[in-house]
Amino acid sequence: MALSALAPTSVSVSSYLSTPTRISQKTPKVRVFTKPKLNPIAALSDPYVLQIAETLEDSLLSTSFPPLQKLRETSSETLLSTPWPSRKDEPFRFTDTSFLKNSRIEPVLPPKIQSSSLDVFSDTLLPTISILDGYIMNELSQLKELPSGVYVGSLLSVNSEAILKRVSEYESGFKGDLFWSLNGVGTPDVLLMYVPEGCKVENTLVLRYISGESSDKGSKALPFSNPRVLVLVEKGGEISIVEEYVGGDKDKCYWSNSVMEVVVGEGAKVSHSYLQNQSLNAAHIKWTWVQQESTSTYEHIEVSTGGKLSRHNIHIQQVGPDTVTELSTFHMCISDQTQDLHSRLVLDHPRGVSQQIHKCIVAHSSGQAVFDGNVQVNRYAQQTDAGQLTRSLLLEPRATVNVKPNLQIIADDVKCSHGAAISDLEEDQLFYFRARGVDIETARKALIFSFAAEVVDRFPNASIRKKVETHIRELLDPSRL
């Protein structure tokens, strides 16, 4: 049965619930919804998911801005048939989300904060855009003069008809999981990064995501934010982006549910660095969706060390020939964390190149790492060169890693490979250090850091690379391991 036959003109999750009139607990206004008395879709929906969606809707101001309104309505429709994931679902077989479901989800309201109360520029001289609890904060941002035609800012503040037309033409058609849809319903705004044809942005742009609202450890309350970014790089354009997620006190609890969509035009290049250092009691769920047109290049370098539950979903679609994709990721568990990476690369055209390396270290007996990597080489992707390698270090007896590399090849003229290795440090390497007078703790620290360095050294920006190296060395302090 078609949804349009059941839903009101303006689609809202709230219109499928049993109460026709609700008073928002977050805002003083009254919102009235009309609905049929018995809706088959509501009967089949997950009540818990609908409850979260309703709470998100109540926390946001309504908008008539077409792109944002369309995003919310499309996401609302998807949520009506999307249940909360469980360990019985294959994508979540190794990832326990009960930490979220057992919490009291509280959407974060627009922050009321003075710019002087957050020191967000002390460690970088790069142009920075600050996003506080999902809200774009101009007063906490420092953007140097951008090249002509480049726009970086709120989608709601765009005043260029040409850019608005381009955004309205964009439609990925991609449908992610429950958390992708929750972000679409709950995002207050979209940070738009637009690079016109042939333009090369020289300076690296830093997107700093700050989690301000939080609850104390042991509290059932879980502040919930939904930042969203859309990157549109036209033909021949180039840009380098750094996403950095930071939290406050390491014992604080909150949930950051983020989405980034990237469209790389013909012959364009995007360098994407991603740093995740959230509180060790926080939840961090991230979606990165990338569409690459012919002869384009997308480079992704990632270091993730924070979060009690951290999951990154990467979906990359090559939609033209001679396309290059490089993924380099490093995850580390230093406590009872779950670090999860689910990646999917789809190659549909000739002479595509994709290289993926994933490394992780589990340095705690209750820590867990998950890698589910899928590379799909379809029928017309002839002369493809695709490689995938995952390597894991387990430094404690009961540390766990679940690895699921997957290479699907339908084309018959390709060069593809993949491999996986899981081990502790090799005794021969430790003996080599000790034979030269290096104590065991220093030797282990050096070997572990060199294991991570293969990914860290790929950061294109020297200041970011140095910052990550310092952070990892601090985590590798012998007292921690």
Side-chain angles (χ1 to χ4, degrees):
M1 184 178 294
L3 179 64
S4 58
L6 300 171
T9 302
S10 179
V11 179
S12 167
V13 171
S14 310
S15 61
Y16 292 92
L17 301 178
S18 57
T19 306
T21 304
R22 300 194 323 280
I23 300 178
S24 168
Q25 297 178 354
K26 302 295 184 180
T27 56
K29 63 181 179 180
V30 177
R31 304 174 63 195
V32 181
F33 298 88
T34 59
K35 59 158 191 59
K37 292 183 178 180
L38 182 61
N39 196 306
I41 291 182
L44 297 175
S45 299
D46 186 325
Y48 182 69
V49 172
L50 294 182
Q51 180 184 2
I52 296 178
E54 179 189 20
T55 306
L56 287 172
E57 287 186 343
D58 282 346
S59 69
L60 297 173
L61 296 175
S62 60
T63 178
S64 58
F65 188 62
L68 190 56
Q69 184 180 28
K70 182 178 180 181
L71 171 65
R72 292 180 181 176
E73 292 181 355
T74 302
S75 301
S76 294
E77 292 179 21
T78 304
L79 284 177
L80 295 174
S81 57
T82 306
W84 186 269
S86 72
R87 299 291 285 270
K88 295 181 180 180
D89 300 314
E90 182 61 26
F92 290 86
R93 183 154 62 105
F94 303 115
T95 307
D96 186 5
T97 60
S98 60
F99 162 55
L100 301 177
K101 194 169 185 179
N102 294 334
S103 300
R104 187 175 70 253
I105 307 301
E106 297 180 349
V108 178
L109 297 177
K112 298 178 180 179
I113 192 165
Q114 299 296 324
S115 59
S116 59
S117 62
L118 287 176
D119 185 11
V120 297
F121 310 123
S122 60
D123 58 352
T124 182
L125 298 177
L126 298 173
T128 302
I129 303 96
S130 296
I131 304 174
L132 177 61
D133 292 324
Y135 292 85
I136 302 168
M137 305 297 291
N138 293 324
E139 61 270 32
L140 298 180
S141 301
Q142 55 176 13
L143 275 178
K144 298 179 181 178
E145 186 175 349
L146 297 172
S148 177
V150 174
Y151 179 82
V152 178
S154 165
L155 179 61
L156 295 172
S157 300
V158 176
N159 54 18
S160 167
E161 292 296 331
I163 295 178
L164 284 175
K165 180 179 179 182
R166 180 66 179 94
V167 171
S168 64
E169 292 173 350
Y170 162 72
E171 184 174 357
S172 69
F174 176 74
K175 293 183 179 180
D177 60 7
L178 167 72
F179 304 109
W180 170 283
S181 299
L182 284 175
N183 177 279
V185 170
T187 187
D189 195 358
V190 177
L191 175 65
L192 174 64
M193 308 183 74
Y194 177 80
V195 180
E197 183 175 335
C199 179
K200 298 182 179 180
V201 182
E202 298 294 338
N203 290 324
T204 298
L205 298 181
V206 178
L207 309 185
R208 179 158 295 180
Y209 301 81
I210 308 162
S211 295
E213 288 291 327
S214 60
S215 61
D216 295 328
K217 183 178 180 180
S219 171
K220 283 291 185 180
L222 192 66
F224 182 30
S225 62
N226 292 277
R228 194 178 188 101
V229 178
L230 172 60
V231 181
L232 292 175
V233 182
E234 303 288 18
K235 180 178 179 180
E238 290 188 16
I239 191 170
S240 179
I241 302 168
V242 176
E243 284 191 288
E244 182 180 12
Y245 289 81
V246 296
D249 192 291
K250 66 179 181 179
D251 291 329
K252 293 298 184 178
C253 302
Y254 51 87
W255 176 10
S256 174
N257 183 48
S258 180
V259 168
M260 172 178 272
E261 299 174 273
V262 183
V263 179
V264 191
E266 180 181 348
K269 180 179 179 180
V270 172
S271 176
H272 180 196
S273 302
Y274 169 62
L275 313 176
Q276 192 274 108
N277 183 28
Q278 301 273 36
S279 161
L280 295 182
N281 284 304
H284 179 83
I285 297 181
K286 172 82 159 66
W287 263 99
T288 301
W289 177 89
V290 182
Q291 176 181 291
Q292 291 184 252
E293 298 180 9
S294 61
T295 67
S296 67
T297 300
Y298 173 74
E299 299 174 348
H300 177 87
I301 307 96
E302 169 182 341
V303 170
S304 179
T305 59
K308 180 180 180 64
L309 169 61
S310 174
R311 178 182 174 106
H312 190 190
N313 301 281
I314 306 177
H315 185 101
I316 299 176
Q317 183 91 34
Q318 292 187 354
V319 296
D322 302 295
T323 308
V324 178
T325 306
E326 296 182 6
L327 300 179
S328 306
T329 53
F330 171 71
H331 288 184
M332 186 171 183
C333 297
I334 60 170
S335 68
D336 57 340
Q337 302 168 260
T338 295
Q339 291 281 354
D340 183 353
L341 176 68
H342 273 61
S343 65
R344 182 177 180 84
L345 284 75
V346 182
L347 295 84
D348 282 316
H349 298 269
R351 299 176 300 279
V353 176
S354 72
Q355 296 296 326
Q356 179 179 21
I357 180 170
H358 173 67
K359 289 191 166 186
C360 68
I361 297 175
V362 185
H364 192 277
S365 58
S366 299
Q368 176 187 221
V370 180
F371 173 70
D372 189 326
N374 187 292
V375 179
Q376 184 175 333
V377 184
N378 290 328
R379 184 179 304 278
Y380 298 107
Q382 303 294 342
Q383 301 179 18
T384 286
D385 183 354
Q388 182 189 76
L389 175 64
T390 173
R391 298 179 62 194
S392 304
L393 272 181
L394 301 182
L395 304 181
E396 292 292 336
R398 291 185 297 277
T400 304
V401 61
N402 293 287
V403 177
K404 186 182 174 185
N406 193 341
L407 178 58
Q408 303 175 14
I409 305 174
I410 302 177
D412 54 13
D413 180 12
V414 298
K415 183 171 67 173
C416 299
S417 64
H418 72 156
I422 303 173
S423 67
D424 195 351
L425 294 174
E426 295 183 9
E427 292 297 329
D428 291 347
Q429 294 176 328
L430 292 172
F431 177 78
Y432 179 88
F433 274 89
R434 299 185 69 183
R436 283 153 179 79
V438 180
D439 65 89
I440 186 67
E441 294 295 344
T442 303
R444 287 179 63 86
K445 186 176 180 179
L447 288 172
I448 294 171
F449 183 81
S450 65
F451 179 85
E454 185 176 1
V455 173
V456 176
D457 288 345
R458 300 188 182 195
F459 282 106
N461 184 275
S463 63
I464 297 297
R465 185 166 58 249
K466 183 178 180 180
K467 179 178 181 178
V468 175
E469 289 176 352
T470 301
H471 175 62
I472 292 178
R473 291 185 187 280
E474 291 174 352
L475 294 179
L476 293 178
D477 187 286
S479 63
R480 288 180 177 269
L481 301 180

